[in-house]
Amino acid sequence: MTIHVEYETDKILDLPYKDIAEEIIPAVLDCEKCPYEVEVNVLFTDNDAIQEINRDYRQTDAPTDVLSFPMKDDVMLGDIAISYDTAKRQAEEADINIDREVAFLFIHGLLHLLGYDHEISKEDEEEMFALQEKILKKLIDYGSVS
């Protein structure tokens, strides 16, 4: 597995999100029984940049927490963009650790790359969100995420 992490915001340069990604991505792929080696790109950015990406690719002119762009390739699973600004705000609102929120967003983005889509139906939403919680709980129980 190859993980590329890029920071477009200087707000988090000292935080270990590449380490978190290296724990979470294999856990999600194991849970989904992904049989092959994959590559994932992760971009940490701010609200302004993610709003621009959201507008350009989803025609939604607003910031969001995470965007996923699946690739049609056997090796490259896809790209995930996470807004640190939104993740931080959501963590504060939920009174949780920022690392936990970022882990949740990684999981959410990866599940989208693997074909899950919570916007199709209520059943799909319930399935995806239950799987997210299961994976996050497993990572918390093993001490990978606090």
Side-chain angles (χ1 to χ4, degrees):
M1 172 186 50
T2 305
I3 304 167
H4 302 280
V5 177
E6 182 180 341
Y7 299 96
E8 272 191 351
T9 178
D10 59 1
K11 298 172 188 173
I12 59 171
L13 291 177
D14 60 336
L15 299 177
Y17 291 122
K18 182 165 178 40
D19 295 342
I20 292 172
E22 289 172 348
E23 292 286 330
I24 291 169
I25 293 171
V28 172
L29 297 176
D30 286 348
C31 185
E32 287 298 293
K33 298 177 179 33
C34 182
Y36 52 89
E37 190 70 20
V38 299
E39 187 171 335
V40 177
N41 295 320
V42 181
L43 171 68
F44 281 98
T45 193
D46 59 23
N47 277 346
D48 291 337
I50 208 159
Q51 180 172 345
E52 185 177 326
I53 296 167
N54 205 15
R55 182 184 61 239
D56 292 351
Y57 291 94
R58 297 185 64 234
Q59 291 70 53
T60 302
D61 194 12
T64 190
D65 51 6
V66 61
L67 293 170
S68 299
F69 300 96
M71 302 290 179
K72 305 288 188 217
D73 187 303
D74 288 340
V75 176
M76 174 53 84
L77 197 56
D79 300 330
I80 299 171
I82 296 174
S83 169
Y84 180 76
D85 296 335
T86 300
K88 184 175 184 214
R89 178 183 50 78
Q90 290 175 170
E92 289 168 357
E93 289 172 356
D95 195 28
I96 59 173
N97 181 302
I98 182 67
D99 292 351
R100 183 193 182 284
E101 180 65 12
V102 168
F104 181 81
L105 296 175
F106 269 128
I107 295 166
H108 185 89
L110 274 170
L111 290 176
H112 275 300
L113 295 183
L114 292 168
Y116 288 87
D117 189 347
H118 55 88
E119 296 178 357
I120 293 175
S121 70
K122 186 69 175 164
E123 293 80 22
D124 289 325
E125 178 181 347
E126 290 170 359
E127 177 186 14
M128 183 175 176
F129 280 68
L131 184 55
Q132 285 175 178
E133 289 300 327
K134 175 184 168 186
I135 294 167
L136 186 60
K137 182 179 180 340
K138 179 180 174 182
L139 290 166
I140 290 170
D141 288 348
Y142 286 117
S144 298
V145 176
S146 55

